[in-house]
Amino acid sequence: MPLEIIEKIEVKRLQIINERGEADPELIPSVSDEEITRCFEAMILARVFNQRALSLQREGRIGTYASILGQEASQVGSARAFSDDDWLFPSFRESGVLVAKGYPMWMLYRYWAGDERGMKCPEGLNIFPMSVPVGTHVPHAMGAAWAMKLKGHRKAAGVYFGDGGSSKGDFHEGLNFAGVFKAPVVFLCQNNQWAISVPRSSQTAAKTIAQKASAHGFEGIQVDGNDVAAVYKATKDALEKAKNNGGPTLIECFTYRLDDHTTSDDASRYRSKEEVEAWRAKEPLLRLRLYLEKIGKWTKGYEESVTKKAEESVDAEIKKAEAFPPPDPADLIRYTYAELTLRQKKEMKESGWGS
Amino acid sequence: MPWTKVYSNKAEFESALSDNRELRGLAYKDALLEATSQLLEADETVFVIGEGIDDSGGVFGSTKGLHLKFGRERVMDSPLAENGITGIAIGAAVAGMRPILVHMRVDFIPLSLDQIINHAAKWRYMFGGKVSVPIVIRSMIGRGWGSAAQHSQSLQSLFTNIPGLKVVMPATPYDAKGLLRASVYDGNPVVFIEHRWLYEHMGHVPSEPYTVPLGKAIIRRTGSDATIVAVSYMVYEAMSAADILKNEGIECEVIDLRTLKPLDAPLILESVSKTGRLVIADTGWKETGIGAEIIARVVEDGFGALKSAPERVNLPEAPTPASPALEKAYYPGKFEIAAAVRRAVNKG
């Protein structure tokens, strides 16, 4: 038998608005001007939220925080593509997703200040508590997607993880399962090039993360993660497919973490200033301003008013977060089980909690 | 109640059945199968997932034919990924389902401990009571057949240490059916551990659905001289030991623990306050096992009732052997339990 090729893999990359703010004329009509404007405003809000979180951490008013600077397009563009019925599974670096979906910002500040109640997702929002362990929520999203399918709902699940997470067993097990069962789930890899100090090149020998979907029998696509229109369209397309029994999609958002891994990290120890500056020139808001200006939707005054509104809103949310009373010590025990066990009742009584 | 009785062998059960033909007899595996089938029938949120659950054996008979009746979407044979399928079941549980996850051997569970310990057990607490994980993780422990070190362990103590989990180990067909149903509706993650030597055990099992409450142990035999607290298969060995000791004039009270976490300490304390002597017969290892917890609890809350130091019957401090000769030495049974009771009685 001669050696024959039985499978070929193609990996597509999508970009709609380039770094100069020029839009592809064939692709741009798939994302409305109004949607792009809303994305821009949500990205400003996410950036203000993020900046304030970093300041609060420096002032000792919240704990360790993971900055999203540079990843606003990947987060906002994808989050806005999901409908309110869908379920989202964010990781710890997804403030932009949460803010874009309308998660109460004061709760996020509470969470980062160390309050479990901050992840008590309000009714009406289908957002799963953010996963701090890396990649372990990939199977959860698959499970939720399966629940939707069993219930006959026309919904999908979306799960966010990083380039580091794509090396985990959970990632592969979740993707494999989704492929076998054609589950309605969108896997969103936020490839920000660094998993703390581990570069993308040390994470996998594969050329792209998108191609990892091929081994699990479904499509993966790489998008310019700093192009909000491309991220939005790729996610919308994946959702359309998922909800029509077309199965899962892996979207690799090719972006960059401009800040340190968290406020406890110092990225200058392991990456060059030149690399960071080269990516800073490609950050997502720059091109969006240029594009919106070209279509007559951006002025300096407009951005100033959007920013001012975002700052006022964030300041009010911080005030609300800081005025929120601390939890009752009985909460320590109260929420472990659906009901109190005999031992817990005894511990409550002995400690005088909840009395 | 007829169904609270335990029968050491089939002949004993059949003789009891002939006395009361109105009661239905069912094997432990069939009791689990019936419970699962009734749950799938009545509740659309229930589904079963596990590796090989649709094979012809059907997990020792306990899932046999369910995929034919309820379809492969609700009785899912899964790819080999213990951690992944545990995470998937957890995700589905959070999204409103009541999954029954089957890990065919408890030895496979260590691969999924991250999902069980760091996720299922934590979420209700970590997210302020908002998220619940109503998942049942069925698993099996063994004894013999050369299954050896990696396929025949008794790992329940890994789970009893974790707040947020419940651990159930039914010994009778009646309890297997009722506890499985109760576990599915418990609202917490439940680790449900069966014993492979029990699958063919017969007992009285009502045909209608019913629940047996979690956290409640049961007295299988009353006695005044010593309390034997037994777990899973060791209940039968304890009952046999009690028969042996009766001939020597020692009356044992046998408690079938049924749920290891939360522990029914009040029932144990009540029994020990009557007998003054305590022996624990567990299927697992001794150090930090359930016996250690039971003794600690009795010492803390009922020290004055103890007439002698408690005794424990466990596996030796070594992995499970494959060799039949070593297996014989490895597993304790009725004679070891009887000897432990005698020591407790002779000490005071």
Side-chain angles (χ1 to χ4, degrees):
Chain A
M1 283 292 273
L3 198 61
E4 47 181 341
I5 292 167
I6 57 164
E7 177 82 305
K8 274 188 175 175
I9 294 166
E10 276 186 349
V11 184
K12 293 177 188 147
R13 181 172 191 274
L14 180 69
Q15 183 190 58
I16 299 179
I17 302 174
N18 70 18
E19 292 151 32
R20 294 179 298 281
E22 298 155 354
D24 182 281
E26 279 177 33
L27 290 169
I28 195 68
S30 58
V31 189
S32 70
D33 290 349
E34 197 199 335
E35 182 54 48
I36 293 178
T37 311
R38 285 192 180 178
C39 283
F40 177 77
E41 291 174 6
M43 285 160 70
I44 297 267
L45 181 61
R47 189 165 282 191
V48 171
F49 173 90
N50 193 64
Q51 194 50 51
R52 283 283 200 275
L54 292 166
S55 306
L56 290 173
Q57 192 279 333
R58 279 194 288 272
E59 292 163 22
R61 289 156 73 185
I62 65 169
T64 302
Y65 174 75
S67 173
I68 62 158
L69 189 71
Q71 296 179 227
E72 293 88 349
S74 291
Q75 300 197 0
V76 169
S78 53
R80 286 191 55 84
F82 285 92
S83 70
D84 291 342
D85 282 344
D86 298 327
W87 271 77
L88 292 182
F89 292 74
S91 85
F92 58 88
R93 196 190 306 287
E94 252 83 51
S95 299
V97 171
L98 295 162
V99 167
K101 292 311 274 184
Y103 197 98
M105 290 184 283
W106 71 270
M107 291 178 73
L108 295 177
Y109 286 124
R110 285 291 315 173
Y111 176 79
W112 287 107
D115 189 337
E116 281 84 348
R117 297 169 302 173
M119 278 295 112
K120 210 169 170 175
C121 185
E123 290 304 323
L125 275 180
N126 293 333
I127 300 177
F128 198 77
M130 62 176 89
S131 181
V132 178
V134 173
T136 52
H137 57 318
V138 175
H140 305 155
M142 166 56 220
W146 192 247
M148 292 166 202
K149 196 162 172 172
L150 284 179
K151 286 178 176 176
H153 295 164
R154 205 171 169 275
K155 300 177 187 174
V159 55
Y160 291 82
F161 50 90
D163 38 313
S166 76
S167 298
K168 296 267 297 197
D170 298 88
F171 164 82
H172 289 286
E173 292 184 3
L175 261 69
N176 185 49
F177 210 98
V180 170
F181 289 96
K182 280 186 110 174
V185 53
V186 182
F187 299 101
L188 283 146
C189 178
Q190 303 282 294
N191 174 8
N192 66 14
Q193 314 301 330
W194 289 92
I196 309 186
S197 59
V198 181
R200 215 300 280 152
S201 57
S202 301
Q203 202 64 246
T204 172
K207 190 170 179 186
T208 68
I209 289 169
Q211 73 200 65
K212 290 175 188 278
S214 301
H216 297 296
F218 58 91
E219 196 192 353
I221 181 171
Q222 190 184 78
V223 301
D224 180 343
N226 288 357
D227 170 8
V228 79
V231 175
Y232 180 85
K233 179 178 163 42
T235 313
K236 269 276 181 227
D237 290 349
L239 282 166
E240 185 67 19
K241 183 175 97 178
K243 292 178 187 182
N244 287 299
N245 277 325
T249 307
L250 169 62
I251 300 174
E252 175 189 359
C253 300
F254 200 82
T255 181
Y256 194 80
R257 190 193 82 210
L258 286 170
D259 275 340
D260 299 330
H261 167 68
T262 66
T263 47
S264 309
D265 177 44
D266 176 7
S268 69
R269 289 178 298 127
Y270 52 79
R271 62 184 192 184
S272 72
K273 206 176 165 189
E274 293 72 33
E275 177 187 308
V276 178
E277 289 317 308
W279 273 96
R280 203 181 297 282
K282 292 192 274 190
E283 69 95 344
L285 277 171
L286 295 176
R287 77 181 70 180
L288 211 47
R289 263 183 216 117
L290 295 173
Y291 172 73
L292 288 173
E293 193 174 17
K294 274 186 190 132
I295 62 165
K297 298 267 182 193
W298 185 89
T299 61
K300 207 175 167 214
Y302 158 71
E303 182 165 337
E304 278 168 4
S305 86
V306 171
T307 307
K308 188 163 178 277
K309 209 174 130 199
E311 284 168 350
E312 283 167 4
S313 156
V314 166
D315 286 345
E317 295 280 320
I318 292 171
K319 243 183 216 151
K320 195 172 170 186
E322 295 192 326
F324 199 66
D328 175 359
D331 284 3
L332 257 182
I333 280 181
R334 192 177 281 147
Y335 298 126
T336 305
Y337 290 100
E339 70 295 313
L340 290 176
T341 64
L342 289 176
R343 179 184 282 282
Q344 289 178 313
K345 280 181 191 160
K346 196 176 168 209
E347 286 174 352
M348 289 269 261
K349 204 175 152 192
E350 284 168 2
S351 310
W353 294 333
S355 52
Chain B
M1 300 290 251
W3 41 78
T4 60
K5 203 166 157 36
V6 295
Y7 298 96
S8 300
N9 56 56
K10 211 169 174 180
E12 195 190 324
F13 174 74
E14 274 165 6
S15 142
L17 201 59
S18 65
D19 295 340
N20 191 347
R21 282 284 162 204
E22 283 175 18
L23 289 167
R24 189 181 60 141
L26 213 58
Y28 187 95
K29 64 176 184 188
D30 294 318
L32 289 165
L33 180 65
E34 186 170 89
T36 313
S37 184
Q38 287 173 343
L39 285 159
L40 284 164
E41 185 88 51
D43 189 341
E44 286 185 349
T45 68
V46 175
F47 73 100
V48 190
I49 177 171
E51 295 162 2
I53 57 169
D54 65 345
D55 74 6
S56 55
V59 191
F60 309 104
S62 67
T63 61
K64 201 169 183 171
L66 288 175
H67 64 290
L68 301 173
K69 203 169 162 192
F70 299 102
R72 290 182 186 279
E73 293 205 332
R74 296 184 68 205
V75 182
M76 302 174 79
D77 181 24
S78 82
L80 294 185
E82 287 79 9
N83 194 52
I85 59 171
T86 308
I88 285 159
I90 291 169
V94 172
M97 304 298 282
R98 294 185 183 278
I100 300 173
L101 168 68
V102 186
H103 284 303
M104 212 182 289
R105 291 172 194 265
V106 81
D107 315 75
F108 304 163
I109 287 196
L111 281 161
S112 61
L113 282 182
D114 176 57
Q115 287 291 349
I116 297 172
I117 294 176
N118 285 330
H119 300 273
K122 301 290 189 286
W123 282 347
R124 180 183 287 280
Y125 170 76
M126 279 177 65
F127 308 122
K130 175 84 183 179
V131 175
S132 68
V133 187
I135 176 182
V136 179
I137 303 167
R138 280 185 55 203
S139 200
M140 294 86 202
I141 59 174
R143 184 177 166 116
W145 302 323
S147 296
Q150 296 159 332
H151 286 81
S152 201
Q153 298 170 84
S154 197
L155 300 176
Q156 58 268 26
S157 294
L158 288 179
F159 308 106
T160 52
N161 191 235
I162 308 296
L165 296 180
K166 292 192 177 180
V167 182
V168 173
M169 292 180 78
T172 66
Y174 178 84
D175 285 351
K177 182 175 171 184
L179 278 169
L180 183 59
R181 187 178 181 83
S183 298
V184 164
Y185 290 111
D186 187 67
N188 298 292
V190 179
V191 180
F192 189 98
I193 302 177
E194 301 150 26
H195 196 293
R196 273 182 285 153
W197 275 28
L198 295 176
Y199 285 117
E200 300 301 330
H201 259 267
M202 298 293 290
H204 301 296
V205 179
S207 53
E208 68 275 11
Y210 60 90
T211 57
V212 169
L214 272 73
K216 293 282 175 206
I218 186 168
I219 296 171
R220 297 292 184 194
R221 176 187 183 124
T222 54
S224 52
D225 298 322
T227 300
I228 309 174
V229 180
V231 173
S232 183
Y233 169 75
M234 292 305 271
V235 170
Y236 297 89
E237 295 291 337
M239 293 296 279
S240 301
D243 284 340
I244 295 169
L245 292 163
K246 189 179 170 61
N247 295 331
E248 300 169 19
I250 299 171
E251 294 290 343
C252 294
E253 183 141 299
V254 177
I255 294 179
D256 174 355
L257 202 50
R258 302 200 289 193
T259 300
L260 278 69
K261 188 183 183 75
L263 187 66
D264 189 354
L267 188 74
I268 298 168
L269 282 161
E270 195 186 313
S271 177
V272 174
S273 69
K274 183 173 71 177
T275 63
R277 299 179 189 94
L278 173 64
V279 173
I280 297 111
D282 186 13
T283 58
W285 290 295
K286 190 174 274 182
E287 286 199 19
T288 69
I290 192 67
E293 178 59 30
I294 291 169
I295 292 170
R297 208 71 83 86
V298 169
V299 168
E300 281 166 0
D301 295 335
F303 186 69
L306 285 169
K307 293 177 187 159
S308 66
E311 289 278 340
R312 282 182 282 171
V313 178
N314 292 82
L315 301 175
E317 185 76 350
T320 314
S323 146
L326 295 181
E327 273 183 348
K328 213 174 152 206
Y330 189 69
Y331 289 110
K334 58 187 175 185
F335 298 118
E336 286 77 10
I337 298 171
V341 173
R342 282 188 210 105
R343 285 196 299 275
V345 170
N346 293 338
K347 278 187 286 192

